[in-house]
Amino acid sequence: MLALSTPLREQLNALCTEQDNRDPATPFFVYDLDALHAHVSRLTTQDVVKLWYAVKANPLSSVLNTLDKAGFNFDVASRGELTQVLSQDIAAERVLNTGPAKSPAQIQHFLDAGVTTFVAESLNQVRWLNDAAEQHQKTLTVLLRVQLRWPAGDKNPLGGDSLTPFGLGSEQWQQLTLSDYPALDFAGLHIFQWGNMLDASKLASLWQQMVPPLVSLSTQLGMPLRILDLGGGLGVPYEPDQQPLDWDQIIDSLAAIKAEAGVQELWMELGRYAVAHCGYYLNPVVEQKENYDEHQLILAGGINHLLRPAVTGQAFPAQALRASTAADRQYHLHGPLCTALDHLGTHPLPEDLGYGDWLVFSQCGAYGFTESMPYFLCHELPAEYVFKQGQLYCIRQSEHADYYLR
Ligand SMILES: Cc1ncc(COP(=O)(O)O)c(C=O)c1O
């Protein structure tokens, strides 16, 4: 369970008391930028791996600014993410474009904006990138995204060993004749198939198994492997018995992979591991009820604001905001939607919780606010706050449904 710092807890208590006087009290996110700054600055203090921030994890401007100050570059996967990064005064040269659905129009748009580094995920993308580069009289740095298969199958949201739209198998890439694309500098390969990994030795072993087929593909293509991009996938603990990854151990494994692959540069685009721990979701309790000898807490917000538990079956850690001397009991946590999927997990929480209390969900800095389904049932959109140098600031007010209903 992640501990809220005392100053943050005090300010959240004050904010929630103020909210309780409103009708209705609405859930909100808060991001501890002081903690984020300390964490990400540590990640960039090494010279083994060049770090990009996967903007999809949390595109909030203050989060981007904190990552920027720590020396991260930016991996963007859509026009919207690109606009958000560029509007923070981050240069287009520090942007990498990944994503399986890059149309010719999107590629043109990225080149117009000055982006020159791309991960190509298909033979068509290679052709479209070359066409756009020739029109712009530019040379683009391109990594080919590879999808490998292992004998021991494994599934997860990034695909694991399943067929996914992310890149192509080695056989398919071998159809490519690099000299047909003179405007592209093929600098290396990209691979990323496992998300939220918490076992450092399994990660190291997966990375190690990737090296021989990738080196062999680059030889077959006649492409010196200068850059290897291992994507993201570093996990964070969501469950009480899970331990965080040890960054020093990760860096040691990456240094070994870099040497084995013989590359000049190793890249990663981190999302979850960079920002998950800095975010909390504060959610008012509407009521407690007993049902078939089990205890349920009905909450103002659910998967409309935090979709991840419905997609992965894994809950965010939860605690009560107020201190209580009451014993804990197991509660099923339910949101306000008309589906049993709207379930935020089963957690031990104090027996005396009820209307007027608040729950704090942690690890919500990544894949929270923007990975949700806020419009279903027309509940309020959550607010977003940041905690910076000991003060809370509201970045986005909560909105009622009439804000978007037409
Ligand atoms: C291409 C790419 N890189 C990096 C990431 C970030 O992954 P993570 O949050 O596991 O670090 C993602 C997430 O989906 C991705 O699609």
Side-chain angles (χ1 to χ4, degrees), residues 70-149:
F72 271 73
N73 296 288
F74 294 86
D75 159 35
V76 310
S78 66
R79 282 184 185 223
E81 287 185 359
L82 178 63
T83 305
Q84 178 72 339
V85 168
L86 298 181
S87 54
Q88 310 311 313
D89 276 342
I90 292 164
E93 294 76 48
R94 291 175 56 207
V95 169
L96 162 70
N97 180 207
T98 61
K102 298 182 202 77
S103 63
Q106 182 181 311
I107 289 170
Q108 286 288 352
H109 177 81
F110 273 62
L111 262 79
D112 288 342
V115 177
T116 54
T117 311
F118 292 84
V119 169
E121 315 229 6
S122 70
L123 297 170
N124 282 324
Q125 282 188 13
V126 169
R127 190 159 48 82
W128 294 334
L129 283 165
N130 190 68
D131 291 349
E134 285 183 340
Q135 276 170 35
H136 283 75
Q137 297 183 324
K138 280 184 180 170
T139 302
L140 305 180
T141 302
V142 172
L143 307 187
L144 305 178
R145 185 163 183 177
V146 184
Q147 197 180 119
L148 292 178
R149 289 273 168 91

Side-chain angles (χ1 to χ4, degrees), residues 54 56 75 98 145 158 190 192 196 231-234 269-272 367:
K56 56 180 75 74
D75 159 35
T98 61
R145 185 163 183 177
L158 258 298
H190 178 288
F192 174 31
N196 194 28
L234 302 189
E269 313 103 37
L270 299 185
R272 190 186 319 273
Y367 307 118

Side-chain angles (χ1 to χ4, degrees), residues 360-381:
V360 184
F361 292 82
S362 43
Q363 300 288 32
C364 297
Y367 307 118
F369 181 89
T370 55
E371 185 189 296
S372 61
M373 41 190 286
Y375 304 123
F376 190 38
L377 262 76
C378 305
H379 288 285
E380 291 76 16
L381 299 188

